[in-house]
Amino acid sequence: EMDLSSIEQDAEQIMSGARSPIILPTDPIARNLETVIDHLNIGEMKKKFITGSPPAASPPGEVYETRSSHSSGRSSRAMSRCMSPTPDEDKSSIFPDGIEYIVVPSAIYPLQPISTAPTPSASPSPHHAYRGITSPMNTPFSTTPPSDSPLASLSLASSSSSEQLADPRDIPFTMEVTELVYFYRILYEATNPRVPLLERLRFLAITSQNIDMFFCKRALKLHLGHGLHSHRGDLPRNAIKGLKIMDYDKVSETLRMLVRDTYDLLNRNLLPLMAKNGIRLMKWQELSSEEQSTMREWFVQRVFPLMTPLVVDAGHPFPVLSNLSLNIAALLEHEKKGETRFVRIKVPARIARWVPVQQRGPLQMIPIEELILGNLDIIFPNTKIIAADVFRITKHYDLKLEGEYEANNLLELIKSELHKRKFAPAVRLECARTMPRSLSDVLISQLRLHDSDVYMTDGPLGLADLFQLCKLNLPALKYEPWLPRTPDLFVDLRSKYASPGDLFKAIKKGDLLVQHPYVSFTTTVQFFIECAMHDPKVQAIKISIYRTSSSSPLIKALCEAAQNKEVSVLVDLKASGDEEQNAKYARMLEQAGCHVSYGLVGLKSHAKIAMVVREEEDGVLREYVHLSTGNYNASTSDVYVDVGIITCDAVLGRDLCDLFNYLTGYSRISSFRKLVSAPMNMRQSFIDLINREAEEAKQGRPATIMAVMNGLDEKRIVRALYDAGAAGVVIKLVVRGRCRVLPGIPGISDNIQVISILGRFLEHSRIFYFGNGAKNGGPKAFIGSADWQHRNLKRRVEVLVPVEDPANVEKLRNIINTYLEDKEQAWEMLPDGRYRKRVVSEHPQRSAQQQFMIRTLKEHPVVWVDTTKR
């Protein structure tokens, strides 16, 4: 499916000696020659590359550097290893067919001179200089490159003292880059043939959505010189042969490559596969005259009344553009006056992005912007349309509250800041590559952007809208549906013969540990709140809400409960992206009679906690609490993996009473009995637990740390982990996103393993297990709302709860071990911070998520229980 003209031209240059051959593992989603090789079947063309002679000055076995001109006009560097095959050797073996590498472009890791010493043994070094993230895909499968691979002798962890860092702060990558590498891992799933087609499209849409959020939150800060958080100071002095800290231009170039690779994958792979399955995104010109006539009538009836073209001239200033909105720019000439005017039309957001072509059925669609472009003559009659095209802007959308400490009303301050955000500066302009310069120049000038802020694309803008196509009723192109199960205990409690108080009697018998989405959120956590609402013995309900769904049944239940109970709700108004919705819910809850607070000034309230106060038979008040790693959001609970616990532990209940008083009142509490809270003492508590394991290891006793989280960047914890690993503690981390710890560095992190799990469900759990964490020397496990990130531990209110029931501790340990044993969806982090997909067989293996589904089916066979109104 690839246009080979550029490759043929480069091959001729290599054959003529005008250019040196570049031998690198391949990137199936990049267009540059340096990152594309033979997992595409290019037959004889591959042999032409191999037969090209390296420069005479580079003897066999040495590494040399070449420069090549990319289509972007920038110079990039790549490494080649001169291979001299024997006459009887198949020259194509230099490209190992047994392994495929996904390569993050060299902009991320500018290459430095690397030792040319050959590998001393036939087996490859565990510290290969992978150019990005790596993944074995083709058969036969392997988890390391073969010893004859050009990468086998390139190591970033040389033992030569001359290659050590002179400064411990000179560490190879930044927090922004680890975020972009994470985006590449997501994008990889869109290339994975083991993933159903529409699910691959969903991964591509997720990648595009993540890129949008990166621009909204980070682009302006990087422009101004803020950010580019490096790993400086984390590692001991003689840790690793390093690469230079990147500047903004490198991050920008990497972003540009990521955007380009996303569109390449869509155009060259996914769209052709969709067409083979009957799904097509059409251009206006591709419609027949009859189809155009029908769609023109549909446009007049459904779209035209919503059109509001805004001209730009002396009497009409350039309009305020909405963030991430689709727009059409047009240059018009009046037939009589002969004057030209620039006009902007906003594409209506209330109309579906992909409009079915009526004569072709629901699977053949035309983008709404194409439909508008094809009917501009209706909007502008008797006017010459000189040029017209689509564009999209991204604004700096990170909410920053000024004067929060002096504000009298946080809700009013949030409303004011949300209004100001509409006028935030633009940081990116997206437009079609076909857009005339006459249009783009106007946009760049009016938006006060530079050419470097313009992203030209070869496909529809706003690829996050592809989520709509993922909802097509085509089961064969999706994952097999998973319906969350209901635990047996809740099945019995939801029968028409049960009373609301029966649930609380069941909780007294033991703590309930639930894992979503394998176990239903609606029939467990939501049911817990509903029982509290209906039980006349319940006196009060308290809950902290960070994010919830747009039509949340939880909000409705709390409003109803406020009619005859004390209901206190902490609504975080600073939840990124949900500020406006949370403000709306805060007003709704206040009007229903709930006591609403907005948390602590200067901190986000990220804890996921709920407490029910119930009068028992003996007249004593008792607290029933729910603590979770995930939000009270019924919509995301079906796709986010989270763990929660429901308990009536008296000490935890008292702790939660103190915590709510701290959040809603003026309590100056500094510690709790069992609960651990940030920003009070959570970071130090984690460091103490890590150090305890290190002391056990120094005494020659077994010591283990296992954890599951979303991200890890807290410097003090990173240092503690390095020290513990060097002391002999076995550390196994499952970190979905960015991770500051580099595993497998000799003498520093040999005992540390880091993997990332990406699959059909988003891994959102936070689980922590310490082999000697208990006072009696036994294991101790926690679940909580916080990752090991600085923002969680110092800038948010977070909660960590110990799980004490030995059966539940063992369940958590089994969950972590299941992740660690995943051989289908796991990515192993390498010593240089890049990732390798862990695949050991050409046949699909059961992933951790599939194992959880199978386990849940055996333990909880009931899918759904009919609810009865009480």
Side-chain angles (χ1 to χ4, degrees):
E1 301 174 0
M2 183 177 177
D3 180 11
L4 297 179
S5 59
S6 61
I7 293 183
E8 292 173 355
Q9 181 179 359
D10 289 321
E12 292 176 359
Q13 293 178 2
I14 291 173
M15 292 292 290
S16 65
R19 179 174 176 176
S20 301
I22 297 174
I23 302 172
L24 275 180
T26 188
D27 180 354
I29 56 177
R31 71 172 62 174
N32 296 332
L33 174 65
E34 287 73 12
T35 53
V36 176
I37 58 167
D38 74 334
H39 111 279
L40 300 171
N41 183 18
I42 59 176
E44 292 299 318
M45 193 57 58
K46 179 176 68 176
K47 295 182 179 180
K48 291 182 181 180
F49 279 107
I50 304 303
T51 55
S53 301
S58 301
E62 286 195 1
V63 177
Y64 65 97
E65 183 180 286
T66 67
R67 289 188 175 269
S68 61
S69 176
H70 290 242
S71 58
S72 62
R74 295 177 181 262
S75 165
S76 71
R77 304 163 78 181
M79 300 299 295
S80 292
R81 184 168 183 81
C82 304
M83 309 292 287
S84 292
T86 62
D88 298 330
E89 181 183 359
D90 178 10
K91 298 174 183 178
S92 64
S93 66
I94 294 175
F95 289 96
D97 290 330
I99 187 168
E100 169 193 344
Y101 302 92
I102 291 185
V103 182
V104 175
S106 58
I108 291 186
Y109 303 105
L111 302 179
Q112 303 296 321
I114 298 177
S115 171
T116 60
T119 305
S121 62
S123 61
S125 165
H127 310 293
H128 304 291
Y130 292 84
R131 302 293 176 249
I133 57 178
T134 70
S135 166
M137 278 294 298
N138 298 335
T139 57
F141 282 75
S142 173
T143 56
T144 57
S147 58
D148 62 349
S149 166
L151 292 183
S153 63
L154 300 181
S155 174
L156 290 176
S158 173
S159 60
S160 171
S161 59
S162 64
E163 294 183 346
Q164 302 303 327
L165 292 176
D167 190 319
R169 297 173 300 175
D170 194 15
I171 305 301
F173 50 86
T174 65
M175 190 165 67
E176 284 72 22
V177 172
T178 61
E179 196 82 2
L180 298 179
V181 173
Y182 170 55
F183 295 169
Y184 262 101
R185 295 203 301 278
I186 297 173
L187 185 61
Y188 168 80
E189 296 302 319
T191 74
N192 191 347
R194 295 183 178 182
V195 177
L197 179 57
L198 290 184
E199 305 295 347
R200 293 168 65 180
L201 192 68
R202 181 170 63 90
F203 280 114
L204 185 138
I206 292 172
T207 303
S208 180
Q209 187 178 61
N210 287 340
I211 294 172
D212 287 344
M213 292 302 102
F214 188 93
F215 274 100
C216 288
K217 295 181 179 181
R218 299 295 305 159
L220 183 61
K221 295 177 182 178
L222 296 176
H223 263 305
L224 298 176
H226 306 297
L228 284 176
H229 304 293
S230 71
H231 290 226
R232 59 186 62 203
D234 298 340
L235 288 175
R237 179 169 295 273
N238 294 325
I240 187 173
K241 172 68 181 176
L243 307 174
K244 296 289 181 68
I245 298 296
M246 297 184 344
D247 56 13
Y248 169 74
D249 289 339
K250 293 296 184 182
V251 176
S252 178
E253 184 178 353
T254 301
L255 270 171
R256 193 172 295 278
M257 289 184 177
L258 179 58
V259 171
R260 185 193 61 204
D261 293 344
T262 302
Y263 276 93
D264 281 351
L265 175 60
L266 176 68
N267 293 325
R268 300 183 181 186
N269 191 320
L270 297 184
L271 288 180
L273 288 175
M274 290 165 60
K276 291 179 181 178
N277 286 275
I279 308 170
R280 290 192 62 194
L281 300 182
M282 308 188 68
K283 298 280 190 180
W284 177 256
Q285 295 81 358
E286 296 176 335
L287 302 182
S288 67
S289 56
E290 181 182 352
E291 290 168 340
Q292 287 185 354
S293 177
T294 302
M295 296 307 298
R296 193 175 180 86
E297 182 179 350
W298 188 91
F299 171 83
V300 171
Q301 295 175 351
R302 307 286 185 91
V303 182
F304 178 69
L306 300 176
M307 295 288 95
T308 306
L310 298 176
V311 68
V312 177
D313 58 20
H316 302 82
F318 192 83
V320 176
L321 304 179
S322 303
N323 186 39
L324 300 177
S325 63
L326 278 176
N327 301 270
I328 292 176
L331 197 61
L332 309 178
E333 180 180 329
H334 200 282
E335 291 184 355
K336 293 183 178 180
K337 297 182 179 180
E339 299 174 342
T340 60
R341 290 289 185 269
F342 178 91
V343 177
R344 171 260 187 175
I345 308 171
K346 183 177 180 180
V347 176
R350 296 183 178 275
I351 299 177
R353 176 75 185 277
W354 319 106
V355 181
V357 179
Q358 296 181 18
Q359 289 94 328
R360 295 175 179 247
L363 300 184
Q364 309 229 6
M365 293 157 279
I366 182 171
I368 182 64
E369 64 271 20
E370 276 286 323
L371 188 60
I372 296 173
L373 285 171
N375 291 276
L376 285 179
D377 59 313
I378 297 178
I379 304 174
F380 304 109
N382 304 318
T383 304
K384 181 180 179 181
I385 302 171
I386 300 174
D389 219 324
V390 185
F391 72 95
R392 182 174 183 256
I393 70 159
T394 307
K395 291 186 172 183
H396 178 67
Y397 230 52
D398 195 23
L399 186 69
K400 182 175 179 61
L401 296 180
E402 297 181 358
E404 181 178 357
Y405 289 92
E406 294 79 22
N408 294 322
N409 188 318
L410 186 58
L411 180 59
E412 293 302 319
L413 178 62
I414 291 288
K415 290 169 61 177
S416 174
E417 291 299 323
L418 288 174
H419 177 72
K420 292 180 183 178
R421 196 160 65 173
K422 296 179 181 180
F423 306 96
V427 295
R428 175 179 61 161
L429 169 64
E430 296 174 271
C431 55
R433 198 173 300 279
T434 56
M435 174 175 277
R437 191 74 191 187
S438 57
L439 291 178
S440 61
D441 282 347
V442 173
L443 293 171
I444 292 172
S445 173
Q446 292 290 343
L447 297 172
R448 299 182 180 180
L449 295 173
H450 300 91
D451 286 344
S452 60
D453 301 318
V454 180
Y455 284 72
M456 299 286 188
T457 64
D458 294 310
L461 306 180
L463 296 184
D465 288 340
L466 293 173
F467 280 121
Q468 298 174 20
L469 299 183
C470 300
K471 299 177 182 179
L472 291 172
N473 186 21
L474 297 170
L477 303 182
K478 300 180 182 181
Y479 288 123
E480 184 178 348
W482 168 256
L483 298 176
R485 265 47 185 178
T486 299
D488 295 343
L489 171 65
F490 288 87
V491 173
D492 297 334
L493 293 172
R494 293 178 68 86
S495 71
K496 62 182 179 181
Y497 303 106
S499 67
D502 291 343
L503 172 62
F504 302 102
K505 295 177 183 177
I507 296 173
K508 291 180 184 178
K509 297 178 181 179
D511 299 345
L512 305 176
L513 187 72
V514 292
Q515 185 183 19
H516 311 297
Y518 311 108
V519 168
S520 170
F521 174 89
T522 302
T523 60
T524 54
V525 178
Q526 177 75 24
F527 181 64
F528 171 68
I529 301 298
E530 291 174 351
C531 284
M533 177 181 69
H534 293 292
D535 186 357
K537 293 283 187 178
V538 170
Q539 305 298 308
I541 301 173
K542 300 183 180 184
I543 190 170
S544 175
I545 295 177
Y546 185 70
R547 299 185 195 276
T548 189
S549 53
S550 57
S551 56
S552 174
L554 178 69
I555 298 295
K556 296 177 183 177
L558 293 172
C559 290
E560 185 176 343
Q563 297 175 12
N564 50 32
K565 304 181 190 302
E566 291 289 327
V567 178
S568 299
V569 186
L570 190 152
V571 181
D572 192 282
L573 299 181
K574 294 172 283 186
S576 180
D578 286 335
E579 301 94 342
E580 191 169 352
Q581 177 175 275
N582 284 5
K584 181 189 74 172
Y585 280 144
R587 290 191 293 268
M588 183 188 302
L589 290 164
E590 286 176 337
Q591 293 169 1
C594 299
H595 302 291
V596 180
S597 60
Y598 312 128
L600 301 179
V601 175
L603 297 172
K604 288 187 177 182
S605 300
H606 192 247
K608 295 89 167 60
I609 49 177
M611 182 175 71
V612 172
V613 181
R614 187 175 188 269
E615 182 182 357
E616 301 297 273
E617 287 73 10
D618 57 3
V620 176
L621 295 179
R622 189 165 192 170
E623 299 90 2
Y624 295 82
V625 302
H626 172 257
L627 305 101
S628 177
T629 67
N631 297 303
Y632 292 102
N633 190 326
S635 298
T636 60
S637 66
D638 287 341
V639 291
Y640 280 35
V641 179
D642 280 300
V643 179
I645 190 169
I646 303 175
T647 179
C648 62
D649 182 282
V651 178
L652 277 178
R654 179 69 183 276
D655 279 349
L656 229 61
C657 283
D658 289 341
L659 179 59
F660 274 110
N661 290 341
Y662 169 73
L663 294 174
T664 61
Y666 200 65
S667 170
R668 296 292 93 189
I669 191 167
S670 58
S671 63
F672 301 93
R673 301 157 191 84
K674 285 187 178 181
L675 213 62
V676 182
S677 179
M680 296 179 187
N681 60 353
M682 186 179 291
R683 180 173 67 180
Q684 190 57 48
S685 297
F686 275 129
I687 292 174
D688 291 343
L689 288 164
I690 294 170
N691 291 340
R692 183 183 302 176
E693 295 297 323
E695 289 301 320
E696 291 293 320
K698 290 176 182 178
Q699 299 299 322
R701 292 187 286 268
T704 303
I705 298 173
M706 297 193 295
V708 178
M709 66 196 81
N710 296 262
L712 196 169
D713 66 20
E714 219 296 320
K715 292 182 180 180
R716 296 186 186 180
I717 289 183
V718 170
R719 281 186 172 275
L721 289 171
Y722 280 135
D723 292 342
V729 180
V730 177
I731 303 174
K732 299 181 178 181
L733 306 175
V734 182
V735 186
R736 172 175 56 87
R738 62 179 177 232
C739 179
R740 199 173 199 126
V741 171
L742 299 177
I745 301 173
I748 304 297
S749 56
D750 307 72
N751 295 318
I752 301 179
Q753 175 189 5
V754 179
I755 68 168
S756 172
I757 301 286
L758 294 176
R760 66 180 293 181
F761 303 129
L762 185 140
E763 295 294 339
H764 194 253
S765 303
R766 286 97 168 185
I767 307 171
F768 308 95
Y769 178 94
F770 300 89
N772 302 280
K775 292 182 179 180
N776 61 3
K780 191 165 188 177
F782 300 85
I783 64 172
S785 58
D787 298 307
W788 283 349
Q789 298 193 99
H790 182 78
R791 69 180 186 186
N792 295 97
L793 300 179
K794 301 309 292 183
R795 300 202 302 268
R796 295 182 177 185
V797 176
E798 305 279 8
V799 166
L800 186 73
V801 57
V803 177
E804 298 179 330
D805 184 344
N808 287 335
V809 172
E810 188 61 25
K811 285 182 182 178
L812 293 177
R813 180 184 175 118
N814 289 337
I815 288 174
I816 300 175
N817 282 330
T818 303
Y819 284 130
L820 294 171
E821 295 167 0
D822 191 313
K823 297 179 176 61
E824 184 67 22
Q825 294 177 340
W827 292 82
E828 293 178 337
M829 190 180 191
L830 302 175
D832 59 4
R834 295 168 235 194
Y835 287 79
R836 173 181 58 195
K837 189 73 180 286
R838 181 199 289 172
V839 180
V840 299
S841 172
E842 63 180 311
H843 304 292
Q845 305 290 302
R846 283 180 179 172
S847 67
Q849 295 181 352
Q850 289 172 324
Q851 295 282 15
F852 292 138
M853 287 188 278
I854 293 171
R855 192 179 302 168
T856 305
L857 285 173
K858 293 179 180 178
E859 296 176 357
H860 311 297
V862 177
V863 175
W864 174 77
V865 176
D866 189 17
T867 58
T868 303
K869 291 185 178 181
R870 302 188 186 280

